[in-house]
Amino acid sequence: MAEYKNGKLQLPNVTLAALASVKVRATIKAMQYSMDRVDFGAATFITHRKPAFLPKGIVYQHIDKLDDINKFNYDCIYELHKYIHTDFMLLVHYDGFVVNPESWRDEFLDYDYIGSPFPPPTDDFSYRDINGEIIRVGNSVSIRSKRLLEFPEKANIPFEADHGFFNEDGFICVKNRHLFLQAGMKYAPYELAKYFGQENHMPDMDGIRPFVFHKWMGPNAEYPNFLPKSRRLVKLMDRLDLRD
């Protein structure tokens, strides 16, 4: 049974984490929003420079500047485990975080990886594992066990593209899924994952209020967006965030 204290969900064995070098302010606000009604075992923002406005309760940890998406993907796969000291981590982004704490299910922690379901593929290669099986659960905004985070480095899995893409969730959940399974990892099934998170809305998700979301598509448009409304201002702030 989920434990609550002073009206807040207690997740002492989960670290709330974000990894980013751009959209820093929005990412921190997303973390704060995630912490409003949840007490995590720890909360850490992993970035290249400590933000002057980092609030109390979120710990800064240093990483080299994430100045392109594949640097993010690489560090998510091979470096992230070094910053996590609890049994599990919840990875959030500026566009994906906790929105419905009351939707928490203890079963989410029965697995080494749970994220929002992938949509059915519209081509003949997306979301297919080494055996051609269509994988329905992945997504970067996710809960991952510490042992899963450690595995790619321990197993010396090469950083290789999947049909030209280096997406870290695809690397873990699809391309190299068989290696994680062989090592005893467990991935959450679709029927549970749709209660954990939603990115692409599908008909069988009608009426479900997920614990987290990712991207403001479809019903997710109702969730908070902490980015400036001006695209020009967003780009300017990204340049400032990446400035040495």
Side-chain angles (χ1 to χ4, degrees):
M1 288 287 294
E3 181 182 348
Y4 289 83
K5 185 176 181 180
N6 298 323
K8 298 183 73 172
L9 174 66
Q10 302 296 298
L11 296 178
N13 59 342
V14 180
T15 293
L16 178 72
L19 176 68
S21 285
V22 295
K23 299 177 176 61
V24 168
R25 290 165 177 78
T27 299
I28 291 172
K29 288 181 179 179
M31 293 186 72
Q32 289 180 289
Y33 193 88
S34 297
M35 298 164 69
D36 278 350
R37 289 181 288 157
V38 184
D39 281 334
F40 293 94
T44 183
F45 184 36
I46 306 159
T47 186
H48 66 288
R49 182 179 62 235
K50 184 176 181 179
F53 46 85
L54 191 69
K56 184 179 179 180
I58 299 177
V59 175
Y60 159 74
Q61 295 193 78
H62 180 81
I63 199 166
D64 289 344
K65 188 183 297 183
L66 304 164
D67 50 11
D68 67 61
I69 186 60
N70 285 336
K71 182 71 166 63
F72 168 85
N73 286 322
Y74 182 93
D75 285 352
C76 226
I77 294 166
Y78 300 104
E79 299 293 324
L80 194 50
H81 71 90
K82 300 172 184 177
Y83 300 87
I84 306 301
H85 307 290
T86 53
D87 294 333
F88 296 90
M89 172 200 72
L90 170 59
L91 183 66
V92 297
H93 307 317
Y94 74 92
D95 61 351
F97 44 90
V98 177
V99 284
N100 296 302
E102 67 279 3
S103 296
W104 173 262
R105 297 185 176 199
D106 290 340
E107 303 99 288
F108 295 159
L109 298 185
D110 288 343
Y111 301 90
D112 293 283
Y113 199 112
I114 183 169
S116 300
F118 290 137
T122 57
D123 53 43
D124 61 359
F125 63 87
S126 294
Y127 311 130
R128 286 171 169 81
D129 68 8
I130 193 173
N131 300 311
E133 179 182 349
I134 295 174
I135 304 303
R136 293 300 308 277
V137 176
N139 203 281
S140 189
V141 178
S142 56
I143 290 177
R144 311 176 192 200
S145 69
K146 172 74 170 178
R147 68 171 186 163
L148 181 138
L149 292 170
E150 295 173 334
F151 183 68
E153 184 181 55
K154 284 184 176 179
N156 199 28
I157 304 175
F159 188 54
E160 296 175 341
D162 185 14
H163 297 91
F165 298 99
F166 287 91
N167 300 29
E168 52 87 20
D169 56 337
F171 178 99
I172 295 169
C173 298
V174 182
K175 178 177 173 59
N176 297 292
R177 182 187 184 91
H178 60 293
L179 300 178
F180 287 87
L181 290 173
Q182 289 167 12
M185 310 291 167
K186 296 169 60 181
Y187 294 86
Y190 174 90
E191 286 303 320
L192 179 63
K194 66 185 181 182
Y195 292 94
F196 170 76
Q198 293 181 21
E199 179 178 296
N200 296 273
H201 186 79
M202 287 161 271
D204 64 342
M205 295 178 177
D206 288 348
I208 294 175
R209 303 284 292 173
F211 180 66
V212 303
F213 85 104
H214 190 205
K215 302 189 183 299
W216 298 282
M217 301 184 294
N220 291 348
E222 70 174 278
Y223 298 129
N225 184 337
F226 301 114
L227 290 173
K229 296 188 182 300
S230 165
R231 290 186 180 182
R232 180 176 295 179
L233 185 53
V234 170
K235 290 180 180 179
L236 173 61
M237 293 178 71
D238 280 350
R239 288 199 296 272
L240 291 173
D241 287 340
L242 287 170
R243 187 178 59 185
D244 289 324

